[in-house]
Amino acid sequence: VVSTQSTGTDVVRRTTVQVPEYRSMEWRLECQLSSRSLHNTVIPNVLTKWKVSDPQSNNMKTKETYLDCDVNTLQHITESLRAAQLELDTLHARKMCRNLARIG
């Protein structure tokens, strides 16, 4: 007879999503100072290079991903990540993490 706990553990292990792991990030701020049609206009842009390791590969191969966005979009991404981080600090999230750690 298979216990319910071991069956639950097997289900969690099979359905666990393996996401890339952060290794490093480099960034560069670019500013367009003017163009033929717009003089004395500053348009800032942020280019980031993310290095992440791929958990699907056997040797944790590093992959580079580029993100090119304007400053407003970068601020929106930052705010969304902060909100997600705050959500992880809730009592419900801590209970879920504790229960998953017990199963795994």
Side-chain angles (χ1 to χ4, degrees):
V1 176
V2 177
S3 71
T4 306
Q5 183 177 2
S6 67
T7 305
T9 303
D10 293 339
V11 169
V12 168
R13 286 187 183 138
R14 282 192 308 251
T15 59
T16 301
V17 177
Q18 294 196 359
V19 296
E21 294 179 13
Y22 168 80
R23 294 293 174 205
S24 67
M25 193 253 317
E26 297 174 21
W27 62 275
R28 180 174 68 202
L29 178 64
E30 299 174 343
C31 291
Q32 180 179 351
L33 300 178
S34 65
S35 66
R36 289 183 185 186
S37 59
L38 298 171
H39 299 287
N40 297 328
T41 302
V42 177
I43 302 173
N45 201 33
V46 179
L47 177 66
T48 58
K49 179 171 75 171
W50 299 83
K51 288 186 181 178
V52 295
S53 60
D54 184 12
Q56 301 296 332
S57 67
N58 294 337
N59 57 359
M60 296 292 278
K61 183 179 170 183
T62 302
K63 178 178 151 183
E64 292 181 355
T65 304
Y66 292 88
L67 173 65
D68 188 10
C69 62
D70 61 0
V71 174
N72 290 334
T73 303
L74 186 60
Q75 286 176 335
H76 175 71
I77 292 170
T78 303
E79 290 167 4
S80 298
L81 290 172
R82 281 191 183 131
Q85 186 178 16
L86 288 175
E87 193 171 317
L88 281 175
D89 291 337
T90 63
L91 180 61
H92 177 70
R94 284 185 291 196
K95 283 182 182 178
M96 292 297 292
C97 289
R98 203 170 333 138
N99 289 335
L100 288 173
R102 227 182 280 152
I103 291 173

